[in-house]
Amino acid sequence: MVSDGADNFIKFWIVGFPGLAIFTMAVGANFIGDGMRDLLDPKLRKQF
C-alpha cells in the first residue's frame, strides 16, 4: 500500500495512513516486547 501511494504522493493519505499504521504496530510490538522482558526476566526481578 505504501509503494502504491508513492506514485500518487500528492494525495498524502494514500501513503500516510498505511505508513502510520506500520509505524504504530512496530512501536507497539517493541513496547509489548520490553514489558514481557521486564516481567519474565529473572535477572531483573528484585530480591525480597
Side-chain angles (χ1 to χ4, degrees), residues 30-41:
N30 280 321
F31 282 137
I32 289 172
D34 286 343
M36 297 271 301
R37 184 198 60 212
D38 291 344
L39 183 65
L40 298 174
D41 191 5

Side-chain angles (χ1 to χ4, degrees), residues 4-46:
D4 288 340
D7 297 333
N8 302 324
F9 200 68
I10 295 170
K11 301 173 188 170
F12 73 91
W13 57 88
I14 296 174
V15 176
F17 292 135
L20 185 62
I22 292 169
F23 175 76
T24 302
M25 292 298 294
V27 170
N30 280 321
F31 282 137
I32 289 172
D34 286 343
M36 297 271 301
R37 184 198 60 212
D38 291 344
L39 183 65
L40 298 174
D41 191 5
K43 293 179 183 177
L44 296 176
R45 291 188 183 186
K46 294 180 181 178

